[in-house]
Amino acid sequence: MKNNQLDNIDRRILRALQQNARLANNELAQQIGLSCSACLRRVSILEENGIIERYAAICNAEKLHYPLMIYVFGSFLEQDYKMRERFIFEMKLLPQVSACHLLSGDWDFILKMHVQNLHEFHQIQKNYLNKEIGIEKIKSNIIVKTIKDTTELPL
């Protein structure tokens, strides 16, 4: 792989691993049509170049008693760097926040949260999504049905 240019084989490896990261190297090699050593070498290069960042287990939120997924849009009070850094620090620590993005446009940030119930969300809102941390306003949306939720990127 030169300059992070992916060829067809790299893309096939990535597609297979995105669908099942637990594939043993021999299974992956057979699926892709490579020798085991060539497959292992390519996966290692993808890891070394940061194209494969990590491997993870995707858990079922409902079975772990986190049935509510909530998206929270928010605006900051002002453009205070220290307050923004505090917000970022706090969001990284909250286990209920599975994604946090700073935005351009009408809202300054969006959070994806998994909570056990509305009471838990209200407590987080009261303790962490307030003026003390530099937040002016928030808007929350509860997900009622998920149509598609994937970690796979198009390759």
Side-chain angles (χ1 to χ4, degrees), residues 64-121:
L64 292 172
H65 310 291
Y66 289 94
L68 289 179
M69 185 184 348
I70 301 175
Y71 281 92
V72 180
F73 294 87
S75 295
F76 295 114
L77 284 167
E78 50 193 58
Q79 299 300 324
D80 181 339
Y81 177 75
K82 287 188 179 188
M83 288 298 253
R84 185 77 42 92
E85 289 302 310
R86 180 173 173 211
F87 168 81
I88 291 168
F89 178 79
E90 296 284 354
M91 293 307 106
K92 286 180 178 180
L93 292 179
L94 274 174
Q96 294 89 345
V97 175
S98 60
C100 174
H101 305 281
L102 297 180
L103 304 172
S104 64
D106 294 337
W107 297 98
D108 294 324
F109 66 85
I110 183 173
L111 306 174
K112 178 182 178 184
M113 300 178 67
H114 294 273
V115 294
Q116 294 178 348
N117 52 47
L118 288 175
H119 176 74
E120 182 180 20
F121 174 67

Side-chain angles (χ1 to χ4, degrees), residues 24-39:
N25 184 60
N26 62 332
E27 295 171 314
L28 179 61
Q30 183 179 7
Q31 187 174 331
I32 302 304
L34 291 175
S35 69
C36 288
S37 59
C39 184

Side-chain angles (χ1 to χ4, degrees), residues 2-55:
K2 295 180 183 177
N3 299 330
N4 289 338
Q5 294 294 324
L6 300 176
D7 64 14
N8 188 40
I9 293 172
D10 293 327
R11 291 179 197 287
R12 289 173 39 212
I13 289 171
L14 292 171
R15 275 190 216 104
L17 289 175
Q18 283 188 126
Q19 292 173 2
N20 182 3
R22 292 188 66 175
L23 279 174
N25 184 60
N26 62 332
E27 295 171 314
L28 179 61
Q30 183 179 7
Q31 187 174 331
I32 302 304
L34 291 175
S35 69
C36 288
S37 59
C39 184
L40 186 59
R41 185 171 50 253
R42 281 186 175 254
V43 170
S44 294
I45 290 169
L46 291 167
E47 292 169 345
E48 289 166 10
N49 288 332
I51 293 170
I52 297 175
E53 288 184 4
R54 66 181 191 260
Y55 298 91

